[in-house]
Amino acid sequence: MNLADRSAIFLSTLCMIHCLVLPLILILLPTLTTLTFFSDERFHTWLLYAVLPISAFAVVLGYFHHRSWLVVLITSMGMGVLVTVAIFGHDVFGEQGEVFASVIGSILVAYGHIINFKARRQLSQCHPVAARSTS
């Protein structure tokens, strides 16, 4: 799996973990001040700033190899959901809706990168010489 796909999957997973686990940790350990950066809404924004360019780079690069619009569609939908949640947040979606939408967006981004990786790998197995010269 190439570095861009791995990084995007890692960041999407980190976002999902942040959305699901952090509220529980803050409820169970409310005096834990070291997590204040992670509980800040800006953490989502920083993750988004990292996920968007890495995801776009990996998907565009992968598309030039496998020409699969499915990869572009799934990953773009996930990034669109994450951007929408970052812009409107819990003011529009509510706390639970924000978490749910963020998890769905993260899953779509990660799934898109998994499909991207598999499509590139399948292409390189079918055409090993051509795939090595363009990778």
Side-chain angles (χ1 to χ4, degrees):
M1 189 175 296
N2 72 29
L3 182 60
D5 282 323
R6 286 180 196 208
S7 299
I9 291 169
F10 170 76
L11 292 169
S12 297
T13 303
L14 183 61
C15 180
M16 197 174 357
I17 290 169
H18 174 261
C19 290
L20 295 173
V21 176
L22 186 68
L24 295 174
I25 291 172
L26 292 175
I27 289 169
L28 296 174
L29 304 168
T31 59
L32 196 57
T33 58
T34 58
L35 293 176
T36 55
F37 170 72
F38 297 109
S39 64
D40 191 340
E41 287 297 320
R42 290 178 287 183
F43 183 73
H44 260 129
T45 305
W46 286 107
L47 274 176
L48 197 59
Y49 287 150
V51 166
L52 290 178
I54 292 170
S55 289
F57 173 76
V59 168
V60 168
L61 189 64
Y63 177 77
F64 286 127
H65 288 278
H66 52 65
R67 303 280 188 215
S68 172
W69 279 104
L70 181 64
V71 171
V72 175
L73 178 67
I74 290 172
T75 309
S76 297
M77 285 176 25
M79 290 190 299
V81 169
L82 293 176
V83 168
T84 302
V85 170
I87 291 171
F88 298 109
H90 60 269
D91 295 336
V92 171
F93 296 104
E95 289 292 328
Q96 292 175 339
E98 180 182 15
V99 170
F100 180 75
S102 294
V103 169
I104 295 299
S106 296
I107 289 171
L108 286 170
V109 170
Y111 182 61
H113 285 287
I114 291 168
I115 296 172
N116 191 45
F117 165 72
K118 287 181 177 181
R120 289 188 71 180
R121 184 176 65 186
Q122 184 179 13
L123 180 67
S124 68
Q125 289 173 350
C126 293
H127 308 287
V129 175
R132 267 187 259 147
S133 64
T134 59
S135 293

